[in-house]
Amino acid sequence: MGQMIAVAVITVLAVISPGADFAMTVRNSYLYGRTAGLLSALGISLGVLVHVAYTMLGVGLLVSRTPTLFTVMKIVGAVYLVYIGYKTFVARTQTDDIEIGDAKGLSEAGALRTGFLTNALNPKTMLFVLSTYTQVVSADTPVVQQVGYGLFMSVAHLVWFSLAALLFSQQALRAKLLSRQAVLNKVIGAVLVGLGVTLALTPAVQ
């Protein structure tokens, strides 16, 4: 029971801390609507499972202790965030072209993909999953229990970011956000670029 409580507390604190996944969810929700936001949240939760899978296989420990592998993963994730941030920062406003509803500017597959890649390529998420497992999992921990921890992490991300998507795609709030789209694009774009640069500067040895 103590291990389960520890996983729950660590996961909740990690999920609600602002990061690239939150910025991406806000971006897709207010720009493209509720469906895009919810699919982004689903992609984020699936991205968590990538880290859970290789951590359970022991690869996560290898990556965290091998500077070259960690650096490659870190740079790929950083470049992706900087790219998305730059595209958002320089994007032209679309207020006149968007009806308050689900917009057509991002496909369902695209929304799912951006959420998935944001977390699957995020060393911060990798280290969160790895550190949690190394704290609460031992050689005697049943595989079913380990899988349960990973599923809880994934579901927690899905619930939190789905709530964020529902909030930021709500019509009244979305209308206000879209009316300030030029400023918001630059703020969110700058945040994503900043997060990408921060990841790139993260020391390889954790």
Side-chain angles (χ1 to χ4, degrees):
M1 181 61 69
Q3 288 183 343
M4 294 180 182
I5 293 175
V7 171
V9 171
I10 294 171
T11 299
V12 169
L13 292 177
V15 170
I16 66 176
S17 62
D21 40 17
F22 186 79
M24 189 70 68
T25 302
V26 172
R27 168 188 180 270
N28 288 351
S29 298
Y30 95 84
L31 274 181
Y32 304 112
R34 180 162 298 173
T35 298
L38 291 173
L39 286 171
S40 298
L42 177 59
I44 288 169
S45 70
L46 294 176
V48 173
L49 293 179
V50 172
H51 299 290
V52 170
Y54 68 65
T55 296
M56 289 184 61
L57 292 173
V59 179
L61 190 60
L62 174 63
V63 171
S64 70
R65 293 184 176 178
T66 307
T68 300
L69 290 178
F70 182 82
T71 299
V72 170
M73 184 175 183
K74 176 185 65 175
I75 295 301
V76 170
V79 169
Y80 176 73
L81 289 178
V82 170
Y83 170 75
I84 294 296
Y86 171 76
K87 295 285 287 184
T88 302
F89 190 90
V90 300
R92 297 177 57 187
T93 59
Q94 309 174 55
T95 306
D96 295 335
D97 301 323
I98 294 179
E99 295 182 2
I100 302 302
D102 284 346
K104 304 298 183 182
L106 183 66
S107 68
E108 293 183 354
L112 185 66
R113 182 173 61 251
T114 56
F116 177 78
L117 291 177
T118 295
N119 247 9
L121 297 177
N122 191 347
K124 176 185 174 182
T125 305
M126 182 270 285
L127 292 173
F128 151 64
V129 174
L130 177 60
S131 62
T132 301
Y133 268 76
T134 55
Q135 292 299 314
V136 301
V137 173
S138 66
D140 299 327
T141 305
V143 174
V144 173
Q145 187 173 337
Q146 295 183 43
V147 172
Y149 290 153
L151 290 177
F152 176 79
M153 292 175 183
S154 178
V155 171
H157 280 77
L158 177 61
V159 170
W160 174 254
F161 291 107
S162 292
L163 290 175
L166 291 174
L167 172 63
F168 287 99
S169 63
Q170 195 269 338
Q171 290 191 7
L173 178 58
R174 191 177 172 213
K176 292 180 181 178
L177 293 175
L178 286 173
S179 69
R180 298 170 176 80
Q181 185 181 350
V183 174
L184 284 171
N185 280 357
K186 287 180 169 46
V187 170
I188 294 176
V191 168
L192 289 171
V193 170
L195 289 168
V197 172
T198 299
L199 282 178
L201 296 177
T202 301
V205 178
Q206 298 295 316

